[in-house]
Amino acid sequence: MQRHIMALCPGKPIRPERAEAVSALAKAEFPQISLAFAPQCFVEQGHFAGDDETRLAAFVAAANDPGIDAIWFAMGGYGSNRIAADAIAALGPAAHEKTYLGYSDAGTLLGALYRNRIGKPVHGPLAGDIRREGGEDAVRRVLRYLSGEEVPLEAGLDDRPTVAFNLMTLAMLVGTELMPDLTGHVVLVEEVAEHLYAVDRLFFHITEHLQGVAGIRLGRISEVPENDRPFGMTEEEIARHWCRRSGIPYLGRADIGHDAANAIVPFGVARAARDA
């Protein structure tokens, strides 16, 4: 049975040539998938893939369409928080039957969906990751997953509920009406292009809001800008410090990050998420 997937951009737009490359790969290798990029993905209004109303309307229309099986976030980039609350309020029964997959800033929507028990939120590569080294394999991994094939998930997943977020996105999400209850969850975090002092500040903030979680696992902290002086701690030392200060178990490293190796992490219990 053919699976229908709609790619959307809740933040910044995807370049047409990247969308074309993903579509060509899907057509050549995944005949069981019908993949479409919403026209909204190519609208440019400043930073955004269209204004808030345009991005909101595209998401709500796709989520409420019973003919669409999954929504794949094509790009990250700031913006999903500007539409998330209105989107959740506008979702109907068909939205509860879908898989929603992406990461980075799209984690705001994934978190809001998870809070409201809508659909199956999944952390995984974006369509735009085809631009990265190894990007075609990342795209294949997502298309296999969305077509219902068995694919390797993040290797550390167990029978505890798990979520995965970009660190900055999670820091902006905690304390808002969109934040899910993560009591008893293992929380995976990753970050890109932030100074280590900013990573430290983000851990200071999130650990204040994550009391009751089962623990934190640290993904890749990549493309760290050079500061005018060394920070004096590694990213893992930072994570261990704030976990110890807050009484949250530090559970080691995780295979997630802003790269083509970014692993798939279904929100909740991985086995239950796959079997649902």
Side-chain angles (χ1 to χ4, degrees):
M1 184 168 65
Q2 195 166 54
R3 299 272 294 175
H4 297 274
I5 301 169
M6 180 64 73
L8 299 171
C9 289
K12 67 181 182 181
I14 188 171
R15 294 183 181 177
E17 63 271 19
R18 293 174 183 169
E20 290 165 5
V22 173
S23 295
L25 188 155
K27 184 177 181 180
E29 300 183 23
F30 295 87
Q32 73 275 33
I33 284 179
S34 171
L35 172 65
F37 283 80
Q40 166 269 326
C41 290
F42 310 109
V43 177
E44 296 188 30
Q45 182 162 337
H47 165 86
F48 302 105
D51 59 21
D52 291 352
E53 291 73 19
T54 298
R55 301 192 324 280
L56 173 64
F59 177 78
V60 170
N64 285 339
D65 185 343
I68 294 173
D69 299 297
I71 288 177
W72 187 12
F73 297 116
M75 291 294 293
Y78 176 73
S80 65
N81 64 304
R82 296 173 63 99
I83 66 170
D86 289 339
I88 294 296
L91 297 184
H96 289 254
E97 305 303 319
K98 290 178 174 53
T99 299
Y100 301 83
L101 189 147
Y103 76 105
S104 191
D105 187 76
T108 302
L109 277 166
L110 296 178
L113 290 162
Y114 192 57
R115 174 192 173 103
N116 290 276
R117 296 188 173 94
I118 297 173
K120 306 174 188 68
V122 180
H123 168 105
L126 304 163
D129 284 334
I130 197 166
R131 69 184 175 86
R132 302 183 188 276
E133 183 178 355
E136 289 189 355
D137 286 339
V139 167
R140 290 186 181 98
R141 189 161 67 252
V142 169
L143 293 174
R144 286 197 298 269
Y145 181 85
L146 293 179
S147 68
E149 294 182 26
E150 290 293 328
V151 299
L153 304 178
E154 203 280 334
L157 301 184
D158 54 27
D159 59 355
R160 292 173 292 184
T162 302
V163 294
F165 288 100
N166 169 259
L167 185 57
M168 178 67 78
T169 301
L170 179 59
M172 297 300 101
L173 188 60
V174 296
T176 72
E177 63 178 340
L178 305 173
M179 178 66 183
D181 179 4
L182 298 183
T183 302
H185 285 63
V186 176
V187 181
L188 281 56
V189 294
E190 56 80 24
E191 190 50 83
V192 65
E194 294 287 350
H195 290 86
L196 287 179
Y197 68 77
V199 172
D200 190 78
R201 181 187 294 136
L202 293 168
F203 265 99
F204 155 73
H205 183 64
I206 67 164
T207 51
E208 284 290 311
H209 291 270
L210 292 181
Q211 298 303 311
V213 301
I216 291 176
R217 293 175 58 206
L218 180 66
R220 288 179 285 281
I221 307 296
S222 57
E223 299 179 28
V224 177
E226 185 176 350
N227 196 26
D228 60 351
R229 64 187 66 197
F231 183 66
M233 298 175 73
T234 66
E235 66 265 27
E236 187 161 20
E237 289 170 337
I238 290 168
R240 289 182 180 275
H241 170 83
W242 289 109
C243 284
R244 184 172 61 252
R245 283 280 298 267
S246 61
I248 296 172
Y250 175 71
L251 302 176
R253 301 306 296 252
D255 188 18
I256 63 169
H258 268 67
D259 51 51
N262 187 20
I264 292 175
V265 181
F267 280 35
V269 179
R271 185 183 303 276
R274 168 54 83 192
D275 293 344

